[in-house]
Amino acid sequence: MKPFTTLTGTTVALDRANIDTDQIIPKQFLKRIERTGFGEFLFWDWMRHDDGTVNEEFELNKPYAKGASILLARRNFGSGSSREHAPWALEDFGFRVVVAPSYADIFYNNCFKNGMLPIHLSEEQVEELFQREAKHRPYQLTADLNTCTLSDGHGFSAKFEVEPFRRHCLLNGLDDIGLTLEHESKITAYETAHGIGV
Amino acid sequence: MSAAAKPRTLFEKIWDAHVVHAQEGRQTILYIDLQLVHEVTSAQAFEGLRLAGRKVRRPERTIATADHNVPTTDRSLPIADPISKQQIDTLRNNCQEFGITHYDMGDVRQGIVHVIGPELGYTQPGMTIVCGDSHTSTHGAFGALAFGIGTSEVEHVLATQTLLQYKPKTLELRTDGKLGRGVTAKDLVLYLIGQITTDGGTGYCLEFTGEALKGLTMENRMTICNMSIEAGARAGMIAPDQTTFDYLKGRPFAPAGAAWDKAVAYWKTLPTDPGAKYDKSLVFQAADIAPQVTWGTNPGQVAAITAKIPRPGDFSDPTDQKTTAQSLEYMGLAGGEPITDLKLDRVFIGSCTNARIEDLRAAAEVAKGKKVSGHVQAMVVPGSGQVKVQAESEGLDKIFKEAGFDWREAGCSMCLAMNPDKLAPGERCASTSNRNFEGRQGKGGRTHLVSPAMAAAAAVAGHFVDVRDWE
């Protein structure tokens, strides 16, 4: 897995709550059997009109959003389906960081498996970021996982929390399966004690 | 008091029994008893195993079926969509290569993964069950700890038969009193989601308790646990009891003989102990619950059939106001209309929420001797091949067909519209599925979630009706 340490990048703000994984990547793009190449399908139905032309009003299509790597949204981001295609699509499009007041559990968990950092801030802090983003486009933020700080270099600086072990794995790009298999003797002992596979 | 004597919840008992390794500040390594696999979220996991040269640790603890992509029309014809076909073929090949049991199209046991697991007796109380699908919470109806996972985790479980998990908190949702006539398990769970909202359960494992749950069948309980994820909870559960045991007895993969008695003795120890503490408990009254209809674009945007569509100004929170305005615009609603005035184009009876035999019986009872309204196209998609066979043996297919419903083959179908079954832009649909997200049933489609009886009544009337007033 790609490690995540620190990132400075353009922030794009989506002023919506409950952005579900069906919006992040609609089902017609879940039929592929690869992990890569999902970026072009990100927010498919919001990116374009019914006739297929580009929806210039959608935030990700604005000129100031070009090259954005940080996504700002309202509460309960990533709700719904467990599809890991959602973080795959965000990552492939160029996003490494999401900032929101809250996330759906499965989406949140899936981000860490793909070298992405979902940052929790309070509703008030997120509101302030929305206001700052609206005033200073393109808006740059720096997410530093070493110090667990999100800042804009112009007076906004907030500490965020990540479970210590998740942070450790993300900073070092560690692979979960490899880590678990360090405890393989314990798995075998569990199976023996429960008569599994004997 | 010793740790062993401390009263524990159903969740805590199952969690404790599956801890392989726990270390302060880290995720617990939890043993997984059963993994269910389908075609959409597994290909990349198997590919990961191949790239790393890993095997499936316990192939006998994983079962697979194709459900999301499969056409619900004539199964003797080839699959028209080449990409769907490739995904279904890939699952078949992966199962063969890694030694996993696969219920393929053409096998009567094929069906929606959350229908066939219980139906075949794989799903049992006290188990840990995972699947790369958020509606895995369904299996919690048996008093199992069951939740959806991402594809990286599917690979982790295939390789290690374990999962890394932070322990969730517990939330008891207790419903006192009995559900009224015409009020179903679907209405109960939609009501609860409306009350606690779509992220009210985030970070929790739910346990549904109370008198309202007592008389419910396993099919009803599965409907309730299925929608735990729509309240943000990865898992939801109901304590096993005699209804659970009666359902399981004699199913192909349920224990038999002496093993059955031993299993039941263990299952009886699972319900939450008196005095055990949940992290949070909420109490609701069954008498407050009417048949429910969602009006917006998330399952928490729901109201009683007797209500009017809300307006943004009905909410105090600015985010709720904005979300409501966005939802109403998408749904083609002004706000303030009586729900019974909403005219329908389509009706879908199916999905892992409501495509089991009882659901089809409930819908057929309403549709019997009636005709689907002239401007409505209605379809019934059984949850599995076996549900279809059972329904046909009871003559339910005839009732539906005579009333003008399409009678289809088993699969996920128009719940998520990955196969050819989908809404056209602007079409309004009464659906027994679980998600009313934008575009879920087809781009621009407008979904209203309801119970099977409400869906059947709406198909006949051509608009929503209160099923309590039917006939």
Side-chain angles (χ1 to χ4, degrees), chain B residues 370-445:
Chain B
K370 306 280 201 307
K371 289 283 177 213
V372 170
S373 170
H375 58 82
V376 173
Q377 189 194 336
M379 66 195 288
V380 183
V381 182
S384 72
Q386 298 209 82
V387 168
K388 181 167 186 269
V389 169
Q390 173 75 26
E392 288 173 353
S393 77
E394 296 178 19
L396 304 185
D397 60 321
K398 286 196 188 66
I399 295 174
F400 287 124
K401 285 189 267 191
E402 278 164 18
F405 288 83
D406 265 357
W407 176 248
R408 298 293 188 93
E409 297 290 334
C412 296
S413 180
M414 208 166 69
C415 172
L416 85 166
M418 260 188 96
N419 77 347
D421 309 334
K422 59 185 68 156
L423 297 181
E427 281 189 328
R428 193 175 296 287
C429 178
S431 176
T432 67
S433 56
N434 41 54
R435 289 192 173 130
N436 50 346
F437 296 156
E438 286 185 23
R440 172 82 178 179
Q441 295 192 294
K443 183 175 164 70

Coordinates of all heavy atoms in Angstrom, one line a residue, chain B residues 370-445:
Chain B
K370 N -57.0 -9.0 -8.3 CA -56.9 -7.5 -8.7 C -56.1 -7.4 -10.0 O -55.5 -8.4 -10.5 CB -56.3 -6.7 -7.6 CG -56.9 -6.8 -6.2 CD -58.2 -6.0 -6.1 CE -58.6 -5.7 -4.7 NZ -58.7 -6.8 -3.8
K371 N -56.1 -6.2 -10.6 CA -55.3 -5.9 -11.8 C -54.4 -4.8 -11.5 O -54.8 -3.8 -10.9 CB -56.2 -5.5 -12.9 CG -57.0 -6.7 -13.5 CD -56.2 -7.6 -14.3 CE -57.0 -8.8 -14.8 NZ -56.2 -10.0 -14.9
V372 N -53.1 -4.9 -12.0 CA -52.2 -3.8 -11.9 C -52.7 -2.6 -12.7 O -53.2 -2.8 -13.8 CB -50.8 -4.2 -12.4 CG1 -49.9 -3.0 -12.6 CG2 -50.2 -5.3 -11.5
S373 N -52.6 -1.4 -12.1 CA -53.1 -0.2 -12.8 C -52.5 -0.1 -14.2 O -51.4 -0.4 -14.4 CB -52.8 1.0 -11.9 OG -53.0 2.2 -12.6
G374 N -53.3 0.5 -15.1 CA -52.9 0.6 -16.5 C -51.6 1.3 -16.8 O -50.9 1.0 -17.7
H375 N -51.3 2.3 -15.9 CA -50.1 3.1 -16.2 C -48.9 2.6 -15.3 O -47.9 3.3 -15.3 CB -50.4 4.6 -15.9 CG -50.9 4.9 -14.5 ND1 -50.0 5.0 -13.4 CD2 -52.1 5.0 -14.0 CE1 -50.7 5.2 -12.3 NE2 -52.0 5.2 -12.7
V376 N -49.0 1.4 -14.7 CA -48.0 0.9 -13.9 C -47.4 -0.4 -14.5 O -48.1 -1.2 -14.9 CB -48.5 0.6 -12.4 CG1 -47.4 -0.1 -11.6 CG2 -48.9 1.9 -11.7
Q377 N -46.1 -0.4 -14.5 CA -45.4 -1.7 -14.9 C -44.8 -2.3 -13.6 O -44.0 -1.6 -12.9 CB -44.3 -1.4 -15.9 CG -43.7 -2.6 -16.5 CD -42.3 -2.3 -17.2 OE1 -42.1 -1.2 -17.6 NE2 -41.5 -3.3 -17.2
A378 N -45.2 -3.5 -13.3 CA -44.9 -4.1 -12.0 C -44.1 -5.4 -12.2 O -44.5 -6.2 -13.1 CB -46.1 -4.3 -11.1
M379 N -43.1 -5.7 -11.3 CA -42.4 -6.9 -11.4 C -42.1 -7.5 -10.1 O -42.0 -6.8 -9.1 CB -41.1 -6.7 -12.2 CG -40.1 -5.9 -11.5 SD -38.8 -5.4 -12.7 CE -37.9 -6.9 -12.9
V380 N -42.1 -8.8 -10.0 CA -41.8 -9.6 -8.8 C -40.5 -10.4 -9.1 O -40.5 -11.2 -10.1 CB -42.9 -10.5 -8.4 CG1 -42.6 -11.2 -7.1 CG2 -44.2 -9.7 -8.3
V381 N -39.5 -10.2 -8.3 CA -38.2 -11.0 -8.5 C -37.9 -11.8 -7.2 O -37.5 -11.2 -6.2 CB -37.1 -10.0 -8.8 CG1 -35.8 -10.8 -9.1 CG2 -37.4 -9.2 -10.0
P382 N -38.2 -13.1 -7.2 CA -37.9 -13.9 -6.0 C -36.4 -13.8 -5.6 O -35.6 -13.6 -6.5 CB -38.2 -15.3 -6.5 CG -39.0 -15.2 -7.8 CD -38.6 -13.9 -8.4
G383 N -36.2 -14.0 -4.3 CA -34.8 -13.8 -3.8 C -33.9 -15.0 -4.1 O -32.7 -14.8 -4.1
S384 N -34.5 -16.1 -4.5 CA -33.6 -17.3 -4.8 C -34.4 -18.2 -5.7 O -35.6 -18.1 -5.8 CB -33.2 -18.0 -3.5 OG -34.2 -18.7 -3.0
G385 N -33.7 -19.1 -6.3 CA -34.3 -20.2 -7.1 C -35.3 -21.0 -6.2 O -36.4 -21.4 -6.7
Q386 N -34.9 -21.2 -5.0 CA -35.8 -22.0 -4.1 C -37.0 -21.3 -3.7 O -38.1 -21.8 -3.6 CB -35.0 -22.5 -2.9 CG -33.8 -23.4 -3.2 CD -33.5 -24.4 -2.1 OE1 -34.1 -25.4 -2.0 NE2 -32.5 -24.0 -1.3
V387 N -36.9 -20.0 -3.5 CA -38.1 -19.1 -3.2 C -39.0 -19.2 -4.3 O -40.2 -19.3 -4.2 CB -37.7 -17.7 -2.8 CG1 -38.9 -16.8 -2.8 CG2 -36.9 -17.6 -1.5
K388 N -38.5 -19.1 -5.6 CA -39.3 -19.2 -6.8 C -40.1 -20.5 -6.8 O -41.3 -20.5 -7.1 CB -38.4 -19.0 -8.0 CG -39.2 -19.0 -9.3 CD -38.3 -18.5 -10.4 CE -39.1 -18.3 -11.7 NZ -39.1 -19.5 -12.5
V389 N -39.4 -21.6 -6.6 CA -40.0 -22.9 -6.7 C -41.1 -23.0 -5.6 O -42.2 -23.4 -5.9 CB -39.0 -24.0 -6.5 CG1 -39.6 -25.4 -6.2 CG2 -38.0 -24.1 -7.7
Q390 N -40.8 -22.5 -4.4 CA -41.8 -22.6 -3.3 C -43.0 -21.7 -3.7 O -44.2 -22.2 -3.5 CB -41.1 -22.1 -2.0 CG -42.1 -21.9 -0.9 CD -42.5 -23.2 -0.2 OE1 -41.7 -24.2 -0.3 NE2 -43.6 -23.2 0.4
A391 N -42.8 -20.5 -4.2 CA -43.9 -19.6 -4.5 C -44.8 -20.3 -5.6 O -46.0 -20.2 -5.6 CB -43.3 -18.3 -5.0
E392 N -44.1 -20.9 -6.6 CA -44.9 -21.5 -7.7 C -45.7 -22.7 -7.2 O -46.8 -23.0 -7.6 CB -43.9 -21.9 -8.8 CG -43.4 -20.7 -9.6 CD -42.4 -20.9 -10.6 OE1 -41.9 -22.1 -10.7 OE2 -42.0 -20.0 -11.3
S393 N -45.1 -23.4 -6.2 CA -45.9 -24.6 -5.7 C -47.1 -24.1 -4.9 O -48.1 -24.8 -4.7 CB -45.0 -25.4 -4.8 OG -44.8 -24.8 -3.5
E394 N -47.1 -22.9 -4.4 CA -48.2 -22.3 -3.7 C -49.1 -21.5 -4.6 O -50.1 -21.0 -4.2 CB -47.7 -21.4 -2.6 CG -46.9 -22.1 -1.5 CD -46.4 -21.1 -0.4 OE1 -47.0 -20.0 -0.3 OE2 -45.5 -21.5 0.3
G395 N -48.8 -21.5 -5.9 CA -49.6 -20.7 -6.9 C -49.5 -19.2 -6.8 O -50.3 -18.5 -7.4
L396 N -48.5 -18.7 -6.1 CA -48.3 -17.3 -6.0 C -48.0 -16.7 -7.4 O -48.4 -15.5 -7.7 CB -47.2 -16.9 -5.0 CG -47.4 -17.4 -3.6 CD1 -46.3 -16.9 -2.7 CD2 -48.7 -17.1 -3.0
D397 N -47.2 -17.4 -8.2 CA -46.9 -16.9 -9.5 C -48.1 -16.6 -10.4 O -48.2 -15.6 -11.1 CB -45.9 -17.9 -10.2 CG -46.5 -19.2 -10.4 OD1 -47.2 -19.7 -9.5 OD2 -46.3 -19.8 -11.5
K398 N -49.1 -17.5 -10.2 CA -50.3 -17.4 -11.0 C -51.1 -16.1 -10.5 O -51.6 -15.3 -11.4 CB -51.2 -18.6 -10.8 CG -50.7 -19.8 -11.6 CD -51.8 -20.9 -11.7 CE -51.2 -22.1 -12.3 NZ -50.2 -22.8 -11.4
I399 N -51.1 -15.9 -9.2 CA -51.8 -14.7 -8.7 C -51.1 -13.4 -9.3 O -51.8 -12.5 -9.8 CB -51.7 -14.7 -7.2 CG1 -52.6 -15.8 -6.6 CG2 -52.2 -13.3 -6.6 CD1 -52.5 -16.0 -5.1
F400 N -49.8 -13.4 -9.2 CA -49.1 -12.2 -9.7 C -49.3 -12.1 -11.3 O -49.6 -11.0 -11.7 CB -47.6 -12.3 -9.5 CG -47.2 -12.1 -8.0 CD1 -46.5 -13.1 -7.3 CD2 -47.6 -10.9 -7.4 CE1 -46.2 -12.9 -5.9 CE2 -47.3 -10.7 -6.0 CZ -46.6 -11.7 -5.3
K401 N -49.2 -13.2 -12.0 CA -49.3 -13.1 -13.4 C -50.7 -12.6 -13.9 O -50.9 -11.8 -14.7 CB -48.9 -14.4 -14.1 CG -47.3 -14.5 -14.1 CD -46.8 -15.7 -14.9 CE -46.7 -16.9 -14.1 NZ -46.0 -18.0 -14.8
E402 N -51.7 -13.2 -13.2 CA -53.1 -12.9 -13.5 C -53.4 -11.4 -13.2 O -54.2 -10.8 -13.9 CB -54.1 -13.8 -12.8 CG -54.3 -15.1 -13.5 CD -54.9 -16.2 -12.6 OE1 -55.5 -15.8 -11.6 OE2 -54.8 -17.4 -13.0
A403 N -52.7 -10.9 -12.2 CA -52.9 -9.5 -11.8 C -52.1 -8.6 -12.7 O -52.2 -7.3 -12.7 CB -52.5 -9.3 -10.4
G404 N -51.2 -9.1 -13.6 CA -50.4 -8.3 -14.5 C -49.0 -8.0 -14.1 O -48.4 -7.1 -14.6
F405 N -48.5 -8.7 -13.0 CA -47.1 -8.5 -12.6 C -46.2 -9.4 -13.5 O -46.6 -10.5 -13.9 CB -46.9 -9.0 -11.2 CG -47.4 -8.1 -10.1 CD1 -48.8 -8.2 -9.8 CD2 -46.6 -7.2 -9.4 CE1 -49.3 -7.4 -8.7 CE2 -47.1 -6.4 -8.4 CZ -48.5 -6.5 -8.1
D406 N -45.0 -8.9 -13.8 CA -44.0 -9.8 -14.4 C -43.4 -10.7 -13.3 O -43.1 -10.3 -12.2 CB -42.8 -8.9 -14.9 CG -42.9 -8.6 -16.3 OD1 -43.8 -9.0 -17.0 OD2 -42.0 -7.8 -16.8
W407 N -43.2 -12.0 -13.7 CA -42.7 -13.0 -12.7 C -41.3 -13.4 -13.2 O -41.2 -14.0 -14.3 CB -43.7 -14.1 -12.6 CG -43.2 -15.3 -11.7 CD1 -42.9 -16.5 -12.1 CD2 -43.1 -15.2 -10.3 NE1 -42.6 -17.3 -11.0 CE2 -42.7 -16.5 -9.9 CE3 -43.3 -14.3 -9.3 CZ2 -42.5 -16.9 -8.6 CZ3 -43.1 -14.6 -8.0 CH2 -42.7 -15.9 -7.6
R408 N -40.3 -13.1 -12.4 CA -38.9 -13.2 -12.9 C -38.1 -14.3 -12.2 O -38.5 -14.9 -11.3 CB -38.2 -11.8 -12.8 CG -38.8 -10.7 -13.5 CD -38.7 -10.9 -15.0 NE -39.1 -9.7 -15.8 CZ -38.3 -8.7 -16.2 NH1 -37.0 -8.8 -15.9 NH2 -38.8 -7.7 -16.8
E409 N -36.8 -14.4 -12.8 CA -35.9 -15.3 -12.2 C -35.2 -14.6 -11.0 O -35.2 -13.4 -11.0 CB -34.8 -15.8 -13.2 CG -35.3 -16.6 -14.4 CD -35.8 -18.0 -14.0 OE1 -35.3 -18.5 -13.0 OE2 -36.7 -18.5 -14.7
A410 N -34.5 -15.3 -10.1 CA -33.9 -14.8 -8.9 C -32.7 -13.9 -9.2 O -31.8 -14.2 -10.0 CB -33.5 -15.9 -8.0
G411 N -32.5 -12.9 -8.4 CA -31.3 -12.0 -8.4 C -31.6 -10.7 -7.7 O -32.7 -10.4 -7.2
C412 N -30.6 -9.8 -7.7 CA -30.7 -8.5 -7.1 C -31.6 -7.6 -7.9 O -32.2 -6.7 -7.3 CB -29.3 -7.9 -6.8 SG -28.3 -8.8 -5.7
S413 N -31.5 -7.7 -9.2 CA -32.4 -7.0 -10.1 C -32.5 -5.5 -9.9 O -31.4 -4.9 -9.7 CB -33.8 -7.7 -10.0 OG -34.7 -7.1 -10.8
M414 N -33.6 -5.0 -9.9 CA -33.8 -3.5 -9.9 C -33.6 -2.9 -8.5 O -33.8 -1.7 -8.3 CB -35.2 -3.1 -10.4 CG -35.1 -1.7 -11.0 SD -36.6 -1.4 -12.1 CE -37.9 -1.3 -10.8
C415 N -33.1 -3.7 -7.5 CA -32.7 -3.0 -6.3 C -31.5 -2.1 -6.5 O -31.4 -1.0 -6.0 CB -32.3 -4.0 -5.2 SG -31.6 -3.3 -3.8
L416 N -30.6 -2.5 -7.4 CA -29.5 -1.6 -7.7 C -29.3 -1.5 -9.2 O -28.4 -0.8 -9.6 CB -28.2 -2.1 -7.0 CG -27.3 -3.2 -7.7 CD1 -26.0 -3.2 -7.0 CD2 -28.0 -4.5 -7.6
A417 N -30.1 -2.2 -10.0 CA -30.1 -2.0 -11.4 C -28.7 -2.2 -12.1 O -28.3 -1.4 -13.0 CB -30.6 -0.6 -11.7
M418 N -28.0 -3.2 -11.7 CA -26.7 -3.5 -12.4 C -27.0 -4.4 -13.6 O -26.2 -4.5 -14.5 CB -25.8 -4.3 -11.4 CG -24.8 -3.5 -10.8 SD -23.6 -4.5 -9.9 CE -22.3 -4.6 -11.2
N419 N -28.2 -5.1 -13.5 CA -28.6 -5.9 -14.7 C -29.5 -5.1 -15.5 O -29.7 -3.9 -15.3 CB -29.2 -7.2 -14.1 CG -30.6 -7.0 -13.6 OD1 -31.0 -5.9 -13.4 ND2 -31.3 -8.1 -13.4
P420 N -30.2 -5.7 -16.5 CA -31.0 -4.8 -17.4 C -32.3 -4.2 -16.8 O -32.9 -3.4 -17.4 CB -31.3 -5.8 -18.6 CG -30.3 -6.8 -18.6 CD -30.0 -7.0 -17.1
D421 N -32.6 -4.7 -15.6 CA -33.9 -4.2 -14.9 C -33.6 -2.8 -14.3 O -32.9 -2.7 -13.3 CB -34.3 -5.1 -13.8 CG -34.4 -6.6 -14.3 OD1 -34.6 -6.8 -15.5 OD2 -34.3 -7.5 -13.5
K422 N -34.1 -1.7 -14.9 CA -33.9 -0.4 -14.3 C -35.0 0.6 -14.7 O -35.8 0.4 -15.6 CB -32.5 0.1 -14.8 CG -32.3 0.3 -16.3 CD -30.9 0.7 -16.6 CE -29.9 -0.4 -16.3 NZ -28.7 -0.4 -17.0
L423 N -35.0 1.7 -13.9 CA -36.0 2.8 -14.1 C -35.5 3.7 -15.2 O -34.3 3.9 -15.4 CB -36.2 3.6 -12.9 CG -36.7 2.9 -11.6 CD1 -36.9 3.9 -10.5 CD2 -38.1 2.3 -11.9
A424 N -36.4 4.3 -16.0 CA -36.0 5.3 -16.9 C -36.0 6.7 -16.1 O -36.7 6.8 -15.1 CB -37.0 5.4 -18.0
P425 N -35.3 7.7 -16.7 CA -35.3 9.0 -16.0 C -36.7 9.5 -15.7 O -37.6 9.4 -16.5 CB -34.6 9.9 -16.9 CG -33.7 9.0 -17.8 CD -34.5 7.7 -17.9
G426 N -36.9 10.0 -14.4 CA -38.2 10.5 -14.0 C -39.2 9.5 -13.6 O -40.2 9.9 -13.1
E427 N -39.0 8.2 -13.8 CA -40.0 7.3 -13.4 C -40.1 7.2 -11.9 O -39.1 7.2 -11.3 CB -39.7 5.9 -14.0 CG -40.1 5.8 -15.5 CD -40.0 4.4 -16.0 OE1 -39.2 3.6 -15.6 OE2 -40.8 4.0 -16.9
R428 N -41.3 7.1 -11.4 CA -41.5 7.0 -10.0 C -41.9 5.5 -9.6 O -42.7 4.9 -10.3 CB -42.7 7.9 -9.6 CG -42.8 8.1 -8.1 CD -43.9 9.1 -7.7 NE -43.6 10.5 -8.2 CZ -42.7 11.3 -7.7 NH1 -42.0 10.9 -6.7 NH2 -42.5 12.5 -8.2
C429 N -41.2 5.0 -8.7 CA -41.3 3.5 -8.4 C -41.5 3.3 -6.9 O -40.9 3.9 -6.0 CB -40.0 2.9 -8.8 SG -39.9 1.1 -8.4
A430 N -42.5 2.4 -6.6 CA -42.7 1.9 -5.2 C -41.8 0.6 -5.2 O -42.1 -0.3 -6.0 CB -44.1 1.6 -5.0
S431 N -40.9 0.5 -4.2 CA -39.9 -0.6 -4.2 C -39.8 -1.2 -2.9 O -39.8 -0.4 -1.9 CB -38.6 0.0 -4.7 OG -37.6 -1.1 -4.6
T432 N -39.7 -2.5 -2.8 CA -39.5 -3.1 -1.5 C -38.1 -3.3 -1.1 O -37.7 -4.0 -0.2 CB -40.2 -4.6 -1.5 OG1 -39.4 -5.4 -2.4 CG2 -41.6 -4.5 -1.9
S433 N -37.2 -2.6 -1.9 CA -35.7 -2.7 -1.6 C -35.3 -1.8 -0.5 O -36.1 -1.4 0.4 CB -35.0 -2.4 -2.9 OG -35.4 -1.1 -3.4
N434 N -34.0 -1.5 -0.4 CA -33.5 -0.9 0.8 C -32.9 0.5 0.6 O -32.5 1.2 1.6 CB -32.4 -1.8 1.4 CG -31.6 -2.4 0.3 OD1 -31.0 -1.7 -0.5 ND2 -31.5 -3.8 0.2
R435 N -32.7 0.9 -0.6 CA -32.0 2.2 -0.8 C -32.8 3.0 -1.9 O -33.1 2.6 -3.0 CB -30.6 2.0 -1.3 CG -29.7 1.5 -0.2 CD -28.3 1.6 -0.5 NE -27.6 1.2 0.7 CZ -26.6 0.3 0.8 NH1 -26.2 -0.3 -0.2 NH2 -26.1 0.0 2.0
N436 N -33.0 4.3 -1.5 CA -33.7 5.2 -2.4 C -32.7 6.3 -2.8 O -33.1 7.4 -3.1 CB -34.9 5.9 -1.7 CG -34.5 6.4 -0.3 OD1 -33.5 6.1 0.2 ND2 -35.4 7.2 0.3
F437 N -31.4 6.0 -2.9 CA -30.4 7.0 -3.3 C -30.7 7.4 -4.7 O -31.3 6.7 -5.6 CB -29.0 6.3 -3.3 CG -28.5 5.9 -2.0 CD1 -27.6 4.9 -1.9 CD2 -29.0 6.5 -0.8 CE1 -27.1 4.5 -0.6 CE2 -28.5 6.1 0.4 CZ -27.6 5.1 0.5
E438 N -30.2 8.6 -5.1 CA -30.3 9.1 -6.4 C -29.7 8.1 -7.4 O -28.6 7.6 -7.2 CB -29.4 10.4 -6.6 CG -30.0 11.6 -5.9 CD -29.2 12.9 -6.2 OE1 -28.5 12.9 -7.3 OE2 -29.3 13.8 -5.5
G439 N -30.5 7.8 -8.4 CA -30.0 6.9 -9.5 C -29.9 5.5 -9.1 O -29.4 4.7 -9.9
R440 N -30.2 5.1 -7.9 CA -30.0 3.7 -7.4 C -30.7 2.7 -8.4 O -30.1 1.7 -8.7 CB -30.5 3.6 -6.0 CG -30.5 2.2 -5.5 CD -29.2 1.7 -4.9 NE -29.3 0.4 -4.4 CZ -28.2 -0.3 -3.9 NH1 -27.0 0.3 -3.8 NH2 -28.4 -1.5 -3.4
Q441 N -31.9 3.0 -8.8 CA -32.7 2.0 -9.6 C -32.6 2.4 -11.1 O -33.4 1.9 -11.9 CB -34.1 1.9 -9.1 CG -34.2 1.3 -7.7 CD -35.6 1.0 -7.4 OE1 -36.5 1.8 -7.3 NE2 -35.9 -0.3 -7.2
G442 N -31.7 3.3 -11.4 CA -31.6 3.8 -12.8 C -31.4 5.3 -12.7 O -32.1 6.0 -11.9
K443 N -30.6 5.9 -13.6 CA -30.3 7.3 -13.6 C -31.6 8.1 -13.7 O -32.4 7.9 -14.6 CB -29.4 7.6 -14.7 CG -29.0 9.1 -14.8 CD -27.9 9.3 -15.9 CE -27.8 10.8 -16.2 NZ -27.1 11.6 -15.2
G444 N -31.8 9.0 -12.8 CA -33.0 9.8 -12.8 C -34.3 9.2 -12.2 O -35.3 9.8 -12.1
G445 N -34.2 7.9 -11.9 CA -35.3 7.2 -11.3 C -35.6 7.7 -9.9 O -34.7 8.1 -9.2

